[in-house]
Amino acid sequence: MPGKNMEKSYDHLQTESDWYRRWEENGLFTPASEPTGIPFSIILPPPNVTGSLHIGHALTLSLPDIIVRRKKMQGFHVLWLPGVDHAGIATQMMVEKNLKKETGQAKEDLGREAFLRLVWEWKHSSEKQIVGQIKKLGLALDWSRMKFTLSDEMQRVVRRVFVALYGEGKIYQGTYMVNRCPSCKTVLSDLEVEHQEVQGRLTYIRYPLSRDAKRWVVVATTRPETMLGDVAVAVHPRDPRYKKLIGQEIRLPLAGRAIPIVGDEDVDREFGTGAVKVTPAHDPVDFKIALKHRLEKIVVIDEQARMTGPIPEKYAGLDRFACRQAVLDDLRSLGLIEKAEEYTHNVGHCQRCETVVEPHISKQWFLKTAELAPPAIAAVRGNEIAFIPDKWKKVYFNWMENIQDWCISRQLWWGHRIPAFYCQECQEVLVSEAEPERCPRCAGTRLVQDPDVLDTWFSSALWPFTTLGWQDDSPDFRTFYPTSIMATGFDIIFFWVARMIMMGLHFGKAVPFREVLINGLIRDEKGQKMSKTKNNAVDPLDIIRESGADALRFTLAIQAVPGMDIALSLSRIKGYKAFANKIWNASRFVVMNLQGDEPPVVDAARVSDADKWILHSLNLLVQKVNESFDGYRLYEAADLIYHFIWDEYCDWYLEFSKSDLESPATRSVLRLTLLRILQLLHPFMPFISEEIYQRIRGEKEFLIQTEFPAFTREFVFPEAHAAVETLKKVVAETRKTRTENRIEPNKKIPIFLKCDAPLERQHLEKHLKYFDFLSRSLKTEIVSDLAVLAKGFRGVSQNWEILLPFVDDQDRRQELQRLRGEHDKLARLIEQMEAKLAGGDFAAKAPAEVILNFKKNLQEYIEKNAKIGKTIDDLS
RNA sequence: GGGCGGUUAGCUCAGCUGGUAGAGCAUCGGUUUUACACGCCGGGUGUCAGAGGUUCAAGCCCUCUACCGCCCA
């Protein structure tokens, strides 16, 4: 018999060490390109090669894995495709930081090529680490199809897509105001800018009129240093305070230039004094105003956020914040500051490094969204793509309906190089997949490629169809596209999900996925966000070492209510580690008792009622679990399985079975039920379920190759189920009565029972064997009148009375007191219920069924209390 | 400014289409009974944020308020 001698406690380290290798070696996760069942595919959201995975990844990766494993067991043709992301800005920053720390060098000291070699090295080691972590989690990924967002293949596809979009006029180059991070030294898209509320100061500055320096207009600003680049003062054209001044000139303090006062509808009359300074080179609103009024744009802040341009010598080269102070000091000494006040406003910060971003005019590449967005909106509106939970649709629509063109160029080295070439002779711009040999216009050969790379999210947007080989019209693409599910966090709905939908529709000619599963954030056990600075971040590998990947996966699954954040508590993980041990020991019990002669199928004629009861319960469980799965309520499925195993199979069925171990039929049910449990559990806890399954089945097949349990008519036994439920009820009541009266748990005592329901009485009579064992009964008698017997402790439940004989008179007095308390409590409840039934509209308006039920309950309470009253009389 | 969540047992959270509340952990009492002390048996614990409304009936639906959190501009 395989699997004998299971260790007394479960060792997750041992079990989780080797199964992954064997699954992989047996090609369990590698489907053929040609389908053998209904295709079901999920593309892994590629983790960044910035280091190692955090606990949030464990969630985003585990949930689809659970879905994938079940689908596979249900016979779908499943692909779960892995990959990693080059994560341009994040990775480059990390390598730069390391370089600085280790050698003191900047990337410029190495040059582009040498630096990129360094990043590639980093990528390889990070990828190795990530893949190792993923395997530890047990994810059923097909590594033979692994992809990288910056592989040669991806570079070819990205160039092709770029050239195509350029050809369609959807990619263009333009000079606009964009956000730039002075620290990361690149421009950013609007999405990469995070607005944070900042306590600042609003300074009111006097701008003297050219004609009369004694008169001035007061403007309010949070950024005084930008006044050096002012080209006008703007007021609302209908503002009575200022409209007469329109057309006049201001002598700009410090700079000494003359600038006009213009009228513009975009001026907010409520802000400050209603007159605003116009700095078109450094403010997006001012930029627009300047365009309308054909004003010059004077750049006074450079790419390093230092002062530059036609400004007084003393400010040149100062950092923007240092200059702010200098300007304020100088204005104050000139008596030009009217006042300053505390002011809370939103300031854009770089998502990566939290530096205050600088609006900045430059020539960049943009993706036009006007034609790409509408089909993407329509696809979601037409339910071709569902969001789970549904509420995220609104968020998606809100953003998509207000979408702006996307700035896709970045001044970085690590990423997809933009396939644009500039002729040095005639300045012609050439966009092409391959580097052109000569300029088609002037035949010049001095061509220089654009130094910029693409926003990382550009290649990410192409991920679902390019990973499947859209570029080669591969069989994989035809089989697995559109993919089934995209599982990801809400934080990247705009960055990623929306863009995948746009690109997928445009190039893949179909939605990239059918369902978007949005999961929440992992927080610590106090509900706080995890972060390195708070030192409350947990490493998934630590948890796996401590409690096992199975326990971690189960914890995440049972807590992951779609769209809700998870407060991850270590004590809870420990609880599911204990659950694994529980399963192990239940299996140990089964394995110890198997004799090898168990019939392979359930013989309904030979099995006991207890056997039928567990089969019936199992069948109900299977039905509910499948419903939960289909509604993406994995937390519910996990919860159902947990309670079935612990509260039904272990707590009751294994105990029942101890009375029937000589029966091969019972042993076969013991075994069969366990195997079904392991199958149900496998998606959640792949390691322990496989280990036990193999020990029992003798390595005939892997668990993932077996069929996921489904409801079967074969296991419908309502009568036996009801009988055993009665038994459970009476056992529980007896145990309670014993405990309440401090009767030693292990002491076998005589037990007397009385039952008013003939059917239930039959049930119990039939199963006294189990009752005696579970209630520690010396001898059980079911009698018609308890009063005639020895006095004893009473327990009363629906239809049943229990009597445990007293040993002495102290017992009697104690019992009397308890019964009086209970009698009073119940009497109050009955009174309340009768009042409800008598007065009000309840009796008149509630549905008959509800009232009937209510009356039934009331009647039961009345009867129960009558019994208690009678007992009190007997004992008095 | 616009929008979205949350507020349920000491803690962290479930509670699907309204019929008087559940889990895990914690806690208390008992217990080493032939799978498991990572166990077993049993117990206690809640004006379901507040106010109002709809309804025979509200944790669940509607309105308002308060507090906490998030997103967009």
Side-chain angles (χ1 to χ4, degrees), chain A residues 357-564:
Chain A
V357 298
E358 192 59 50
H360 169 86
I361 297 172
S362 62
K363 193 173 195 184
Q364 301 294 338
W365 292 93
F366 293 86
L367 177 68
K368 201 156 102 185
T369 51
E371 289 157 38
L372 293 170
I377 293 171
V380 176
R381 215 176 280 294
N383 293 319
E384 285 175 70
I385 298 176
F387 279 72
I388 297 151
D390 191 59
K391 65 174 185 188
W392 291 108
K393 257 160 79 169
K394 271 194 231 165
V395 178
Y396 171 83
F397 288 138
N398 187 39
W399 189 72
M400 286 296 277
E401 279 159 7
N402 298 294
I403 193 168
Q404 305 289 312
D405 283 359
W406 173 17
C407 175
I408 52 174
S409 44
R410 296 288 180 276
Q411 289 69 54
L412 303 170
W413 288 353
W414 176 242
H416 289 276
R417 188 89 176 253
I418 291 175
F421 303 85
Y422 304 104
C423 172
Q424 300 299 293
E425 313 291 341
C426 71
Q427 309 311 315
E428 176 78 347
V429 179
L430 307 168
V431 171
S432 80
E433 288 184 51
E435 182 165 357
E437 303 221 334
R438 60 185 67 243
C439 173
R441 197 167 107 190
C442 73
T445 52
R446 285 176 53 226
L447 294 163
V448 175
Q449 185 170 6
D450 193 312
D452 288 359
V453 301
L454 289 166
D455 182 1
T456 299
W457 295 106
F458 189 87
S459 52
S460 307
L462 318 176
W463 194 237
F465 56 93
T466 53
T467 48
L468 291 173
W470 157 82
Q471 51 279 13
D472 308 316
D473 190 26
S474 70
D476 268 7
F477 179 74
R478 290 196 299 266
T479 300
F480 295 112
Y481 192 89
T483 66
S484 310
I485 291 174
M486 174 52 61
T488 189
F490 59 82
D491 49 333
I492 51 178
I493 290 180
F494 307 145
F495 278 110
W496 197 35
V497 176
R499 289 163 175 172
M500 280 190 284
I501 297 175
M502 287 192 282
M503 292 302 207
L505 284 166
H506 190 67
F507 288 103
K509 304 293 174 211
V511 292
F513 30 73
R514 301 289 184 198
E515 272 152 342
V516 184
L517 219 55
I518 302 289
N519 54 253
L521 232 56
I522 303 247
R523 297 168 177 277
D524 72 5
E525 39 208 312
K526 297 260 158 30
Q528 299 221 307
K529 243 184 195 170
M530 285 191 181
S531 72
K532 280 186 188 147
T533 47
K534 274 191 219 144
N535 201 25
N536 63 348
V538 293
D539 184 338
L541 285 183
D542 287 344
I543 295 178
I544 290 172
R545 207 175 303 114
E546 182 67 27
S547 301
D550 282 337
L552 174 60
R553 289 171 61 118
F554 203 81
T555 308
L556 293 172
I558 206 165
Q559 292 217 77
V561 177
M564 295 289 290

Side-chain angles (χ1 to χ4, degrees), chain A residues 834-848:
Chain A
E834 280 174 336
K836 182 171 178 178
L837 207 52
D841 295 331
F842 178 67
K845 295 190 181 170

Side-chain angles (χ1 to χ4, degrees), chain A residues 614-615 618 644 649 669-677:
Chain A
I614 195 68
L615 290 170
L618 171 72
F644 179 79
Y649 187 69
V669 173
L670 214 43
R671 179 175 177 280
L672 176 106
T673 310
L674 179 59
L675 293 179
R676 291 286 173 276
I677 284 172

Side-chain angles (χ1 to χ4, degrees), chain A residues 240-348:
Chain A
R241 291 171 295 180
Y242 299 112
K243 66 180 179 197
K244 277 185 283 182
L245 291 176
I246 294 172
Q248 293 208 32
E249 267 192 352
I250 293 276
R251 170 127 333 242
L252 184 64
L254 306 183
R257 284 182 283 115
I259 58 174
I261 297 174
V262 300
D264 194 289
E265 302 269 348
D266 283 346
V267 174
D268 176 7
R269 277 184 273 191
E270 308 297 316
F271 176 79
T273 58
V276 297
K277 57 195 278 307
V278 180
T279 322
H282 301 288
D283 183 281
V285 178
D286 296 4
F287 182 83
K288 262 199 278 178
I289 293 177
L291 279 184
K292 280 186 275 181
H293 299 275
R294 295 165 191 262
L295 296 164
E296 195 188 352
K297 301 177 194 72
I298 302 179
V299 173
V300 294
I301 299 174
D302 71 9
E303 299 186 340
Q304 266 47 260
R306 287 180 310 229
M307 305 310 291
T308 186
I311 59 173
E313 189 75 24
K314 62 176 295 196
Y315 304 119
L318 280 182
D319 171 77
R320 54 186 166 164
F321 298 124
C323 181
R324 178 176 301 174
Q325 198 50 53
V327 164
L328 284 171
D329 290 345
D330 293 343
L331 288 171
R332 189 166 297 115
S333 60
L334 290 171
L336 293 176
I337 294 187
E338 183 149 307
K339 62 171 175 175
E341 54 195 33
E342 292 296 312
Y343 187 69
T344 313
H345 59 136
N346 276 313
V347 177

Side-chain angles (χ1 to χ4, degrees), chain A residues 831-861:
Chain A
E831 207 176 311
Q832 280 169 15
M833 290 178 79
E834 280 174 336
K836 182 171 178 178
L837 207 52
D841 295 331
F842 178 67
K845 295 190 181 170
E849 193 192 343
V850 173
I851 292 179
L852 211 65
N853 213 8
F854 188 87
K855 281 183 174 168
K856 207 179 104 203
N857 285 336
L858 177 60
Q859 194 54 37
E860 267 165 29
Y861 291 140

